[in-house]
Amino acid sequence: MNYQWYPGHMTKAKRMMQENIKLIDLVIELVDARIPLSSRNPDIDELSKNKFRMILLNKADLADSRYNKEWAEYFKEKGFSVVEVNSKSGAGLKSIQGAVQEVCRDKFERDRKRGIVNRPVRAMVVGIPNVGKSTFINSFAGKACAKTGNKPGVTKGKQWIRLNKGLELLDTPGILWPKFEDQKTGMRLAFIGSMNDDILHMDELALELIRFLQQHYAGLLEKRYGLDEAMAGGGFDGVRKGEEDEIGKRTALEEWQKDALGMLNRIGESRHCYSKGEELDLERAAGIVVDDFRSGKLGRITLEFPV
Ligand code: G4P
């Protein structure tokens, strides 16, 4: 499958970001905690040169907590301030204020030397589509936020949300498109639903996801779709029939479990995905697996790991 990003107004969005970035001290970059690298656009580093940097591992509730910690360390080592958040529930948002103070230390020092007191940190939220930028701004700003309106020296029409005396947020996030040369990145973006599903083959996507899960989260699919029982009852007949001895049975079972297509079939059976004529509708089964992953019903899963 060839994963491609749908065409958008990329140049316009980037130009807008370039303009806005001049006005701010701090870039708050949202990434999807399930794919912290694949959901970044590498141009952001160039665009944010000389700015203070913060990475929010958003949707941390959907990602594996072990790897959230590892990713946080990974980015910290690269000089970012990092906070794990769930913008939907608000978890983790309280830690941001302190992290802002910490990462912008040099700004306060600079201001102090120039005799400037209480100039708030100005921040802008950036990220690829669907990482949760709007959700974050709404939750973080909450109801208490006040729009500060236009100010002298600020490009006309820019709205700042005053979060408190020390922090103002530009109300429009900077949108960057994902950028990728390798298909793995595209695939990961497709898994989390950041690609246009219309151009994807759901069954191929589900098979890739199943392969990944069997390798890294063994037993998870069986548990979710109640497949252990089916197997114990001899549910996987056909391909392996006739292998009577214990070792044969075990090997057959292991092979079967590794076989993504076999697994998709079993999921289809267990979820009664039949089309007319009792044929298994694998496309429907594929949709169920992918949707269950995206909504977190499969559990907390991270799709890429720090190296
Ligand atoms: P964007 O501005 O970056 O494009 O993203 P947006 O805020 O629109 O969020 C995209 C989707 O991600 C939304 O779901 C939103 O609810 C969800 N989301 C954002 N942050 C989090 C988070 O930390 N955890 C979880 N679990 N979900 C998050 P949606 O399906 O488009 O809408 P809805 O489910 O809210 O109705």
Side-chain angles (χ1 to χ4, degrees):
M1 194 174 353
N2 197 27
Y3 300 97
Q4 284 184 341
W5 188 248
Y6 55 83
H9 305 290
M10 304 189 201
T11 331
K12 194 175 161 223
K14 203 168 154 184
R15 209 181 318 119
M16 249 184 79
M17 223 183 101
Q18 270 162 336
E19 274 174 31
N20 288 338
I21 223 150
K22 289 182 201 148
L23 312 168
I24 55 132
D25 308 294
L26 168 71
V27 175
I28 302 179
E29 181 182 356
L30 262 78
V31 298
D32 189 306
R34 294 166 296 176
I35 51 166
L37 283 190
S38 296
S39 59
R40 291 194 77 204
N41 177 316
D43 292 345
I44 182 78
D45 288 332
E46 183 60 31
L47 283 164
S48 315
K49 258 202 319 228
N50 307 322
K51 303 290 171 187
F52 300 107
R53 305 289 301 276
M54 177 178 282
I55 286 214
L56 298 185
L57 290 170
N58 193 39
K59 308 200 186 184
D61 55 307
L62 298 176
D64 194 325
S65 54
R66 282 176 299 167
Y67 295 112
N68 286 346
K69 299 275 166 293
E70 288 192 21
W71 277 115
E73 283 311 310
Y74 171 93
F75 286 115
K76 276 179 192 162
E77 271 174 29
K78 296 203 171 334
F80 292 92
S81 171
V82 188
V83 185
E84 286 174 40
V85 292
N86 170 357
S87 294
K88 220 169 161 175
S89 73
L93 298 184
K94 278 203 187 108
S95 317
I96 294 176
Q97 184 62 33
V100 169
Q101 297 296 314
E102 171 96 21
V103 74
C104 295
R105 259 191 330 258
D106 290 355
K107 170 204 162 334
F108 300 120
E109 187 57 21
R110 230 170 29 216
D111 282 358
R112 200 182 55 78
K113 279 186 184 148
R114 291 184 193 153
I116 303 168
V117 278
N118 297 336
R119 188 173 69 86
V121 171
R122 288 205 149 164
M124 176 175 156
V125 172
V126 305
I128 67 167
N130 212 35
V131 281
K133 296 178 295 301
S134 317
T135 311
F136 167 72
I137 293 177
N138 287 335
S139 318
F140 190 48
K143 290 193 175 54
C145 76
K147 292 209 168 170
T148 60
N150 297 335
K151 286 190 173 175
V154 172
T155 315
K156 209 164 173 246
K158 297 272 176 290
Q159 292 286 320
W160 295 89
I161 302 167
R162 179 176 293 152
L163 292 156
N164 52 49
K165 270 195 284 182
L167 182 61
E168 289 183 1
L169 203 66
L170 193 63
D171 78 339
T172 28
I175 305 168
L176 284 158
W177 267 257
K179 201 175 180 184
F180 53 89
E181 268 118 42
D182 67 307
Q183 292 296 301
K184 270 216 150 102
T185 305
M187 197 176 69
R188 288 170 183 150
L189 288 161
F191 286 156
I192 64 159
S194 279
M195 300 278 269
N196 187 349
D197 276 347
D198 296 345
I199 60 162
L200 300 170
H201 299 287
M202 206 35 95
D203 48 351
E204 282 183 42
L205 193 66
L207 288 173
E208 291 286 355
L209 183 60
I210 289 172
R211 272 185 214 114
F212 173 87
L213 293 173
Q214 284 179 312
Q215 196 182 346
H216 297 279
Y217 292 89
L220 191 138
L221 290 167
E222 287 84 347
K223 199 168 154 222
R224 166 78 189 160
Y225 299 107
L227 300 181
D228 283 330
E229 248 173 70
M231 284 187 287
F236 72 110
D237 57 347
V239 216
R240 320 289 180 207
K241 236 176 202 163
E243 288 175 321
E244 296 303 323
D245 65 292
E246 274 311 301
I247 294 172
K249 260 190 200 165
R250 205 167 52 235
T251 317
L253 192 68
E254 278 165 9
E255 275 182 28
W256 180 83
Q257 280 177 319
K258 278 186 204 136
D259 176 1
L261 188 57
M263 177 59 87
L264 188 59
N265 269 282
R266 300 298 300 175
I267 294 169
E269 283 171 9
S270 102
R271 289 296 152 114
H272 308 289
C273 300
Y274 293 103
S275 53
K276 274 185 217 138
E278 297 292 284
E279 287 238 345
L280 261 184
D281 183 347
L282 288 187
E283 193 76 16
R284 218 169 98 208
I288 291 177
V289 179
V290 172
D291 282 350
D292 281 357
F293 164 74
R294 287 178 181 168
S295 63
K297 286 187 190 136
L298 287 184
R300 298 178 63 169
I301 292 160
T302 297
L303 294 172
E304 65 186 2
F305 313 111
V307 277

